[in-house]
Amino acid sequence: MLGRTLREVSAALKQGQITPTELCQKCLSLIKKTKFLNAYITVSEEVALKQAEESEKRYKKGRSLGDLDGIPIAVKDNFSTSGIETTCASNMLKGYVPPYNATVVQKLLDQGALLMGKTNLDEFAMGSGSTDGIFGPVKNPWSFSEQYRKKRKQKSHGEKEDSDWLITGGSSGGSAAAVSAFTCFTALGSDTGGSTRNPAAHCGVVGLKPSYGLVSRHGLIPLVNSMDVPGILTRCVDDAAIVLGILAGHDPKDSTTVQDPVKPFVLPSLTDVSKLCVGIPKEYLAPELSSEVRSLWSKAANLFESEGAKVIEVSLPHTSFSIVCYHVLCTSEVASNMARFDGLEYGHRCDVGVSTEAMYAATRREGFNDVLL
């Protein structure tokens, strides 16, 4: 049951093949068995079981809230969750319990989803390996597969056992590992410059960064406001489309979201691609692109063409400048966002009382890792 897609397990719940409580308990059991992956910072067992109980009551009355009712989910630990610690994998926010839910979290809960816990990440989502948080690195579930173990044994001898694992990518590595290890059916990540798509690729799951403004950032603790987007991690593209359909839409609490008060976001049907025109930017076929990726790219293009779609070469001449813009925005906005953590309003505060300046410096030195400092 845990290996099924979101749509399949939703159908199983509606047909009474399994109850929300049974499904929740299966996931909680697997979370405990895979604790060595370090995918979760906080496991909200009591909350999840209570939500499962309420979901079960709705199913018995024939009043399911939607496709996510009774479905276990996980949330990256940089999204605010009411009553549940939100640390950003940092000493700075360790012990911080938000009084409200992020909009995307609330939308999932409104659909009846079961919150299994908060997932591990690089501190404040600044990283690409999920190795730089205070709770330690996240280990890729594929590191412990029989295929990898055999391959590893053939290649190396005498290495320490604790080094015999692969990274998940980052910074949403905990969410990717949680989905890949079957401890939940979908998870929220955040994506600034690849932080959802990167770990998805490493862990063999689907990672989607929605277009900026399509999904609300309210309640996502910011890293780079101009580029941060809540990301979606699932086991297949169809599941990602379901979750996106739930999350997308205008939020009055986030002025950057699309203004569409007339109708909710509806995903277009892509069963017929004959009228679709797919552009392949020539600038992206860089010399550094691996032959494997280039081959897969060509196969995807050929598949579209075989189904009747039109595939053309396009040019995005300003691509090279986007890299420069990314680094300028990233460094300046990270510095600006981290400046708020000064020990005065919230978060960690050191015991140094010599002066305000000394307190600032000591608080930030104790609260941030070397990457952010």
Side-chain angles (χ1 to χ4, degrees):
M1 187 64 71
L2 296 184
R4 296 188 184 185
T5 66
L6 195 157
R7 193 181 293 277
E8 288 170 343
V9 79
S10 179
L13 285 167
K14 291 171 184 175
Q15 293 164 11
Q17 297 175 15
I18 191 170
T19 67
T21 300
E22 290 170 342
L23 189 61
C24 181
Q25 289 171 337
K26 283 179 180 291
C27 285
L28 287 170
S29 176
L30 195 53
I31 288 172
K32 292 172 184 175
K33 288 179 182 177
T34 58
K35 189 176 180 181
F36 58 89
L37 296 176
N38 205 25
Y40 289 83
I41 291 175
T42 301
V43 179
S44 50
E45 182 171 353
E46 290 184 14
V47 172
L49 287 170
K50 186 175 181 180
Q51 291 169 340
E53 185 181 338
E54 294 300 315
S55 176
E56 205 160 315
K57 291 177 183 177
R58 290 192 294 271
Y59 273 110
K60 287 179 179 178
K61 295 177 182 178
R63 297 177 182 174
S64 169
L65 294 176
D67 289 333
L68 288 187
D69 204 344
I71 303 290
I73 66 164
V75 173
K76 187 176 180 180
D77 203 30
N78 59 345
F79 287 92
S80 295
T81 44
S82 179
I84 300 174
E85 187 179 19
T86 300
T87 69
C88 284
S90 69
N91 281 317
M92 186 63 79
L93 286 182
K94 196 172 182 181
Y96 169 61
V97 180
Y100 69 98
N101 284 321
T103 295
V104 286
V105 173
Q106 191 60 53
K107 283 189 172 185
L108 294 176
L109 296 180
D110 288 344
Q111 287 281 314
L114 315 180
L115 180 56
M116 309 310 294
K118 306 294 291 295
T119 57
N120 204 349
L121 64 151
D122 288 299
E123 186 168 315
F124 280 97
M126 184 72 171
S128 57
S130 297
T131 57
D132 292 328
I134 64 165
F135 299 100
V138 184
K139 298 181 180 181
N140 195 318
W142 289 98
S143 308
F144 306 93
S145 67
E146 186 178 347
Q147 300 97 313
Y148 178 74
R149 287 298 182 185
K150 285 181 179 178
K151 187 177 180 181
R152 180 80 178 181
K153 195 173 182 180
Q154 292 169 356
K155 285 190 173 183
S156 61
H157 299 282
E159 289 192 30
K160 294 180 181 178
E161 184 62 28
D162 62 359
S163 68
D164 194 14
W165 52 271
L166 301 169
I167 64 169
T168 56
S171 60
S172 307
S175 289
V179 174
S180 181
F182 297 161
T183 62
C184 63
F185 290 86
T186 184
L188 289 179
S190 62
D191 198 313
T192 306
S195 285
T196 292
R197 295 158 290 166
N198 175 0
H202 277 273
C203 295
V205 297
V206 173
L208 173 67
K209 179 182 183 179
S211 298
Y212 189 87
L214 191 59
V215 177
S216 173
R217 294 185 297 112
H218 174 70
L220 168 61
I221 295 172
L223 180 71
V224 181
N225 305 60
S226 300
M227 290 180 282
D228 291 344
V229 175
I232 299 167
L233 291 133
T234 58
R235 298 204 192 107
C236 67
V237 173
D238 186 47
D239 285 357
I242 291 171
V243 178
L244 179 60
I246 292 168
L247 299 182
H250 176 63
D251 179 11
K253 296 176 182 177
D254 180 1
S255 60
T256 66
T257 50
V258 290
Q259 300 288 327
D260 187 11
V262 179
K263 59 182 180 180
F265 178 79
V266 179
L267 285 163
S269 172
L270 288 179
T271 52
D272 178 16
V273 298
S274 60
K275 296 181 180 180
L276 200 64
C277 183
V278 181
I280 298 182
K282 63 181 183 181
E283 288 82 6
Y284 290 4
L285 291 168
E288 298 83 4
L289 194 65
S290 72
S291 58
E292 183 182 8
V293 172
R294 188 183 294 265
S295 174
L296 289 170
W297 200 350
S298 297
K299 284 181 181 178
N302 292 337
L303 182 60
F304 273 114
E305 279 191 318
S306 67
E307 294 296 320
K310 184 179 180 181
V311 179
I312 62 171
E313 182 182 82
V314 297
S315 177
L316 298 176
H318 303 302
T319 296
S320 59
F321 300 112
S322 69
I323 305 299
V324 177
C325 289
Y326 172 79
H327 285 294
V328 171
L329 283 171
C330 188
T331 52
S332 59
E333 292 195 27
V334 168
S336 177
N337 279 318
M338 294 304 108
R340 75 189 67 190
F341 300 106
D342 54 14
L344 290 179
E345 295 184 63
Y346 44 75
H348 173 70
R349 178 170 182 160
C350 74
D351 296 328
V352 175
V354 178
S355 67
T356 303
E357 290 77 8
M359 186 273 290
Y360 283 165
T363 292
R364 292 170 68 79
R365 186 169 58 251
E366 294 172 8
F368 291 138
N369 64 9
D370 291 340
V371 176
L372 290 167
L373 285 174

Short mmCIF file of all heavy atoms in Angstrom, two decimals, residues 6 9 70 99 186-187 242 339 348:
data_model
loop_
_atom_site.label_atom_id
_atom_site.label_comp_id
_atom_site.label_asym_id
_atom_site.label_seq_id
_atom_site.Cartn_x
_atom_site.Cartn_y
_atom_site.Cartn_z
N LEU A 6 -0.40 8.53 -5.10
CA LEU A 6 -1.39 9.29 -4.33
C LEU A 6 -2.81 8.97 -4.80
O LEU A 6 -3.72 8.75 -3.99
CB LEU A 6 -1.09 10.78 -4.46
CG LEU A 6 -1.73 11.77 -3.52
CD1 LEU A 6 -0.89 13.03 -3.46
CD2 LEU A 6 -3.13 12.11 -3.93
N VAL A 9 -3.82 5.33 -3.70
CA VAL A 9 -4.12 5.15 -2.28
C VAL A 9 -5.39 5.92 -1.88
O VAL A 9 -6.13 5.50 -0.99
CB VAL A 9 -2.91 5.56 -1.40
CG1 VAL A 9 -2.80 7.07 -1.24
CG2 VAL A 9 -2.99 4.90 -0.03
N GLY A 70 -6.99 11.81 4.41
CA GLY A 70 -6.41 10.59 4.97
C GLY A 70 -5.05 10.22 4.42
O GLY A 70 -4.52 9.14 4.73
N PRO A 99 2.68 30.37 15.58
CA PRO A 99 1.27 30.40 15.99
C PRO A 99 0.31 30.20 14.81
O PRO A 99 -0.90 30.31 14.99
CB PRO A 99 1.13 31.82 16.57
CG PRO A 99 2.10 32.63 15.77
CD PRO A 99 3.25 31.72 15.44
N THR A 186 3.35 12.50 -0.41
CA THR A 186 3.81 13.75 -1.01
C THR A 186 4.44 14.60 0.09
O THR A 186 4.13 14.42 1.27
CB THR A 186 2.67 14.53 -1.70
OG1 THR A 186 3.19 15.70 -2.34
CG2 THR A 186 1.61 14.97 -0.69
N ALA A 187 5.32 15.49 -0.30
CA ALA A 187 5.98 16.35 0.69
C ALA A 187 6.21 17.72 0.09
O ALA A 187 6.37 17.87 -1.13
CB ALA A 187 7.31 15.74 1.13
N ILE A 242 -1.86 16.79 -9.14
CA ILE A 242 -2.96 16.83 -8.17
C ILE A 242 -2.65 17.83 -7.06
O ILE A 242 -3.49 18.67 -6.70
CB ILE A 242 -3.20 15.43 -7.57
CG1 ILE A 242 -3.78 14.47 -8.63
CG2 ILE A 242 -4.16 15.51 -6.37
CD1 ILE A 242 -3.84 13.02 -8.17
N ALA A 339 19.46 39.18 8.41
CA ALA A 339 19.71 40.32 9.32
C ALA A 339 18.64 40.43 10.41
O ALA A 339 18.89 41.01 11.47
CB ALA A 339 19.76 41.61 8.51
N HIS A 348 17.06 32.55 18.79
CA HIS A 348 18.12 32.41 19.79
C HIS A 348 18.65 33.77 20.24
O HIS A 348 18.71 34.71 19.47
CB HIS A 348 19.26 31.58 19.20
CG HIS A 348 20.47 31.51 20.08
ND1 HIS A 348 20.49 30.81 21.26
CD2 HIS A 348 21.71 32.08 19.95
CE1 HIS A 348 21.67 30.93 21.82
NE2 HIS A 348 22.43 31.70 21.05
#
